[in-house]
Amino acid sequence: MQRTASLVTKVFIQRDYSEGTVCRFQTKFPAELDNRVERALLEQTVKTLNSCYVEAEKVGGQSYLEGCLACATAYIVFLCMETRYEKVLKKISGYIQEQNEKIYAPRGLLLTDPIERGMRVVSFIQLLLHSLRTTNTSV
Amino acid sequence: MSQIQHAVPDGPIRYTQICTRSSSCSSPQTSSSAAAAGTEPPSCPGHRGRTPRRKWQVFPGRNRFYCDGRVMMARQTGVFYLTLVLIILTSGLFFAFDCPYLASNLSPAIPAVGAVLFIFVMGMLLRASFSDPGVLPRATPDEAADLERQIDSTGCSKPPPRTREVLINGQTVKLKYCFTCKIFRPPRASHCSLCDNCVERFDHHCPWVGNCVGRRNYRFFYFFILSLSFLTIFIFAFVITHVVLRSNRTGFLTTLKDSPASILEVVVCFFSVWSIVGLSGFHTYLISSNQTTNEDIKGTWSRKEGKDNYNPYSYGNVLTNCCTALCGPLPPSLIDRRGLIQADTPQTAPQSNGTGGGGSYAPTQLHSHMCDQDQCLQSTKFVLQAAATPLLHSDPVVLPPLPAKPASLGGPCAYLAPAQPALPSCAGDVLTLRDAAVDSHCHHHLHLHHLHHHQHFASPEETPCGTPQGALPCPAHMHLQHPAPPVRYDPVTQDSLHEDSVRGLVKLSSV
């Protein structure tokens, strides 16, 4: 007889404010995920996310151009055009989905997009599905 | 098996109908007797009605929303209407009384420039007033519980510290814990008491604009006051010019008789110009030094005696500071105002992105816009079903009643099996449904109780969703007080239950 039981917990990775107000998450490996996923994989994911957010918030030539154009058109241009930030966010959610499919779902984890948590945390949902086989019904 | 049956009550099941299959129901409000989980629930009316509600309707802050969530303002908007009236009235009088003379006698460019300035001022004002200043959404119950656990683990018997110190660019910055929003505020964020929200890079709450000024609308506010100062000076100068030119021809008193509005315009502009130009100058200074009004007033970065205090956010260069503040990237809204609160939708439609409104960026199968608590309850139900049925395939089981009051889930779990001490404090989604072969029957009984006790909830104001008023009695006590024959539970096939349990777990990801 096959039995299953489920255990669901959440693990949160908080924001790292050491670089200022830029969006960045801590790369410290949470202890709860110790035997669920390899450190290197998780750190790689978080580092990639951090670099994407840095790219989104980067103040450079393109952002200035976008800002000036927007100001000149009284910000009406944003009705037709997506801001660079929004484009990067879409890219990030695609990346998270891909990571979930490739890496985390096979390990029974689910990574949520930080934008859905107000950029406060990166949360991992751990699922533990135990499939136990017993020969005798002791219940 | 029989032990489990004893453990399970013989009472009427005060079971609240949770619509798990229909997409229009959200929070369960009505309790029906003997409606066991697992059977197809009848369509529940739900107190929200048939149309799915949008998130702005259950927003916890003290804001007002218009145009179906596209427009977001503070609660008191009286002064904003005064601002509008003053600007429109003065400009209107200028265009009506002074511009014809100026256009014909001086240049038609004057009314043209005036019109451009006026449109720009109005655009910036409306944009500053109507957009989300950068409100930080409140923490979900799970996050709040996780933070509480972290805070409690560091403190001793005294009240645990609610501040965190962070080193930013060599400067120590204290992050404070917000009791309302249940988060550690990011640096430069502050909680606005008028709007009851934490706002990123909080500058000040402006009653003239009718909104907070924060990270997302600071540039609009600045352009508004800058262009308004230009407009005020422009109108003031050209009204004076008009009066002087006319007086040279026809005399002063005749001029005043012909163009009475000019006096009003001059008076309004004269009194406005000092405050508005002064404010523009002040904000220009703030932008160039990359400070907020809040920081400046509190003297956070002022050079104190013997303290090496400097602004860690400043780029050191006036030009860079200005460009970053005014032309930097505009972050999107973190509160999904126009998102729909839905129950049990496997596929979510992409959210319409209003101007300046939040939208969902990747509507995936996992992304459901339901109430956190409703989702948790439903998902809990799914997983419980999945776990219970294979274990008790031969005997009927009465599933524990889930209370009708979705509220914040919190409180340490007192019934965890000792074998798993590392489990975090239950925030409602920790289910320890262990295999009965591994643990004793008592454990199983305990765990069902454990689920009951999960549902001891805190105050209703913590839930953004509408909740029924009045506290429910403890479900664990309920079934002891109301004996009734157990409801037969017909187990669904294992496959569909497993499907449901995975679905339930996947839904938990949205919480």
Side-chain angles (χ1 to χ4, degrees), chain A residues 5 8 10 79 116-117 120 125, chain B residues 137 355 429 433 505 509 511:
Chain A
V8 178
K10 285 189 185 171
L79 289 171
E116 292 169 28
R117 298 284 173 265
R120 293 182 302 262
I125 300 182
Chain B
T355 50
D429 58 346
L433 301 166
L505 289 166
S509 71
V511 178

Side-chain angles (χ1 to χ4, degrees), chain A residues 1-10 12 14 17-18 20-21 56-59 63-64 68 71 75 79 85-86 89 93 97 110 112 115-121 125 127 132 138-139, chain B residues 1 124 127 137-139 142-143 146 166-168 175 183 186-187 219-220 223 323-324 327 329 332 334 355 362 364 367 383 423 429-431 433 435-437 441 498 505 508-511:
Chain A
M1 182 176 78
Q2 197 171 354
R3 293 150 194 200
T4 55
S6 317
L7 177 68
V8 178
T9 55
K10 285 189 185 171
F12 297 107
Q14 301 283 342
Y17 293 115
S18 58
T21 52
E57 296 186 16
K58 196 174 74 156
V59 184
S63 73
Y64 287 156
C68 291
C71 184
Y75 295 91
L79 289 171
Y85 210 112
E86 284 168 354
L89 284 175
S93 41
Q97 212 168 349
L110 209 62
T112 58
I115 192 76
E116 292 169 28
R117 298 284 173 265
M119 303 292 233
R120 293 182 302 262
V121 285
I125 300 182
L127 312 109
L132 300 161
S138 57
V139 187
Chain B
M1 207 41 109
M124 290 298 110
R127 190 81 199 218
R138 296 190 185 183
D142 301 312
E143 288 171 49
D146 187 64
V166 164
L167 200 67
I168 299 175
L175 303 183
I183 55 170
R219 68 190 67 188
F220 308 130
F223 286 134
C323 288
T324 316
C327 304
L334 295 175
T355 50
T364 62
H367 193 100
V383 182
L423 278 177
D429 58 346
V430 177
L431 310 169
L433 301 166
D435 190 288
H441 305 310
H498 278 263
L505 289 166
L508 275 172
S509 71
S510 318
V511 178

Side-chain angles (χ1 to χ4, degrees), chain A residues 15-17 19-25 49-57 85 89 92 114-115 118-120 122, chain B residues 200 215:
Chain A
R15 282 273 291 268
D16 174 17
Y17 293 115
E19 311 263 319
T21 52
V22 72
C23 184
R24 213 186 123 82
F25 292 97
L49 285 177
N50 285 340
S51 64
C52 287
Y53 288 121
V54 162
E55 184 201 326
E57 296 186 16
Y85 210 112
L89 284 175
I92 286 172
I115 192 76
M119 303 292 233
R120 293 182 302 262
V122 174
Chain B
E200 268 187 299
R215 183 181 178 201

Side-chain angles (χ1 to χ4, degrees), chain B residues 343-375:
Chain B
D344 205 34
T345 31
Q347 291 245 308
T348 56
Q351 305 306 312
S352 61
N353 210 348
T355 50
S360 76
Y361 292 93
T364 62
Q365 293 236 349
L366 314 175
H367 193 100
S368 159
H369 294 286
M370 248 184 67
C371 271
D372 290 351
Q373 289 74 19
D374 291 343
Q375 264 189 326

